[in-house]
Amino acid sequence: MTTLIIMLLFVVLLICAFPIGMTLGIASMLPSMIGGSTVSGVYIIRSMLGGLNSFTLLAIPMFVLSGIIMAKGGVSRKLFEVFAYFIGNLTAGIPCAVIITCLFYGAISGSAPATVAAVGSMTIPLMLEMGYDKKFCVAIVAVAGGLGVIIPPSIPFILYAQSSGASVSSLFKAGIIPGILIAVILMGYSVYYCKRHGEDKAAIAGVVKPLHEKGFAKVFFSSFWALLTPVIILGSIYSGVASPTEAAVISVFYALIISLFIYRSLKLSDIWSICVEAIRTFGPILFILAASVAFSRILTLLQVPQMVSTWITANFTNKIVLLLVINVLLLVVGMVMDTTPAILILTPILLPVVKTFGMDPIHFGIMMVCNLAIGFVTPPIGVNLFVASSLSDVPVTEIAKKALPMIGLFFVALLLITYIPGISLLLV
């Protein structure tokens, strides 16, 4: 009975648009308030504080900070210029350069909204100058921004590792091929779209030609330090030189060095405002993390994971059908809940279920994050849609409509990732 009341309260508060952190906190405190439970308020507070006492979680504020430094330092422009130099004159070359830029920037920031903001603020006006449809420009950035949580380093991967006990390094390796696969599919759609609707080659040449006039050496060396960023971050992790948390700290110092002394796009006086923005960004995440840990422990004490596992295994005996049902569940959750609480709440519930069917925890983590990445571009939450809308003044609903074919292709990639484990596990 207590479990039913908690879940009903949780759903009602979400429908009433309560902040997710507050919703989780209230739902966690409910058993101690209604009686009939050994859970006390003190236990809830200890769970919240204890859940944050993690060396792994320290990577999140560091990646947030380095991503903001890179965004303010104009690193996304450096990345875009080198890709536009090589493929800008091809059919859909500019949209493809935008997608590749999102792929690389995702390997810097680890955040989908940050990728949309950093890449979109620079490329959307540029694409409009080249004659591309405004809604298409905004939609391609919003969807490609989802690569920021799939390509390593990824903040959701760190959260999943914290909830499941899986290796962060293994999750980072596993995310490389799925991220590239989704990027290739999106580029294929861009080529189709541009062939069907045409491009203004003269306007495109006006942007690409000056890059060619600079010459390969000048463009490449101008972008070299930006291109080196993911190599340093991921290389230090995979070589064993640094843990993911230590690599996150390295990324902060590297971002400061290239922005202050090499590109000189930042001043020392800018650092304070950047730190304030990072705290404002991470502060809400921190509270959600604490409340999610407490809520997940309450669910564990009430044996909710065991009940869900028993019900699912009793009603679904076919692995193919089970994975399809879980995908649909995660897609729905991604539409109404942010990635952080979704991972922290659902991982302890769903992971034991898929393990009984022989699914690798790393594979399931990739599947879960890919599902929730689609949630970034689906209403009503759709954080990427709101970020892209704020950059372009295009209504969220219009962006979602234009992005619908790309979301469909994203879902096709998700099915491939779900049913072909090798896509995720080849590099692990």
Side-chain angles (χ1 to χ4, degrees), residues 38 60 84 87 173 188 219 221 227 250 414:
T38 57
I60 297 177
I87 63 174
K173 291 178 184 177
V219 172
F221 285 112
L227 291 168
I250 291 171
L414 170 63

Side-chain angles (χ1 to χ4, degrees), residues 81 85 211 213-224:
E81 285 180 353
Y85 177 90
L211 293 176
E213 288 175 349
K214 287 183 180 179
F216 168 75
K218 192 170 183 179
V219 172
F220 176 77
F221 285 112
S222 174
S223 306
F224 174 76

Side-chain angles (χ1 to χ4, degrees), residues 42 46 49 166 192 270 312 364 409 424:
V42 174
R46 285 178 177 174
L49 296 176
Y192 163 78
D270 296 326
I312 290 177
F364 179 68
L409 291 172
S424 302

Side-chain angles (χ1 to χ4, degrees), residues 141-302:
V141 172
V143 177
L147 296 170
V149 297
I150 299 172
I151 205 73
S154 162
I155 291 174
F157 283 162
I158 297 171
L159 296 172
Y160 175 81
Q162 178 71 14
S163 299
S164 65
S167 164
V168 176
S169 299
S170 296
L171 285 164
F172 282 2
K173 291 178 184 177
I176 294 174
I177 294 179
I180 294 173
L181 171 65
I182 295 168
V184 169
I185 290 175
L186 291 177
M187 286 190 282
Y189 173 78
S190 298
V191 172
Y192 163 78
Y193 180 91
C194 291
K195 282 186 175 180
R196 182 177 178 182
H197 296 276
E199 295 177 283
D200 188 341
K201 293 294 184 182
I204 294 171
V207 174
V208 178
K209 189 177 179 181
L211 293 176
H212 286 171
E213 288 175 349
K214 287 183 180 179
F216 168 75
K218 192 170 183 179
V219 172
F220 176 77
F221 285 112
S222 174
S223 306
F224 174 76
W225 299 104
L227 291 168
L228 195 61
T229 307
V231 177
I232 289 176
I233 297 172
L234 299 178
S236 63
I237 295 172
Y238 300 150
S239 65
V241 172
S243 68
T245 302
E246 292 164 341
V249 177
I250 291 171
S251 73
V252 172
F253 282 97
Y254 181 76
L256 283 171
I257 290 169
I258 66 171
S259 298
L260 288 172
F261 304 115
I262 297 178
Y263 293 139
R264 297 182 180 178
S265 50
L266 288 180
K267 299 177 183 178
L268 286 173
S269 58
D270 296 326
I271 296 177
W272 175 256
S273 61
I274 289 172
C275 290
V276 170
E277 184 176 345
I279 292 171
R280 286 176 176 170
T281 302
F282 181 65
I285 297 175
L286 187 67
F287 184 75
I288 292 171
L289 279 169
S292 298
V293 170
F295 187 64
S296 64
R297 290 187 181 179
I298 292 297
L299 294 181
T300 301
L301 287 173
L302 295 173

Side-chain angles (χ1 to χ4, degrees), residues 402-422:
K402 198 69 175 182
L404 201 57
M406 289 177 272
I407 295 171
L409 291 172
F410 211 129
F411 183 71
V412 171
L414 170 63
L415 291 178
L416 293 174
I417 292 165
T418 299
Y419 293 111
I420 306 176

Side-chain angles (χ1 to χ4, degrees), residues 4 28 33 46 64 92 118 127 158 245 251 298 307 361 365 387 405:
L4 181 60
S28 300
M33 295 167 63
R46 285 178 177 174
V64 168
M127 292 176 73
I158 297 171
T245 302
S251 73
I298 292 297
M307 288 188 286
V387 174

Side-chain angles (χ1 to χ4, degrees), residues 23 87 126 150 186 200 210 230 315 331 339 363 374 382 403 410 416:
T23 299
I87 63 174
L126 197 60
I150 299 172
L186 291 177
D200 188 341
N315 289 276
L331 287 170
T339 306
H363 180 202
I374 296 177
F410 211 129
L416 293 174

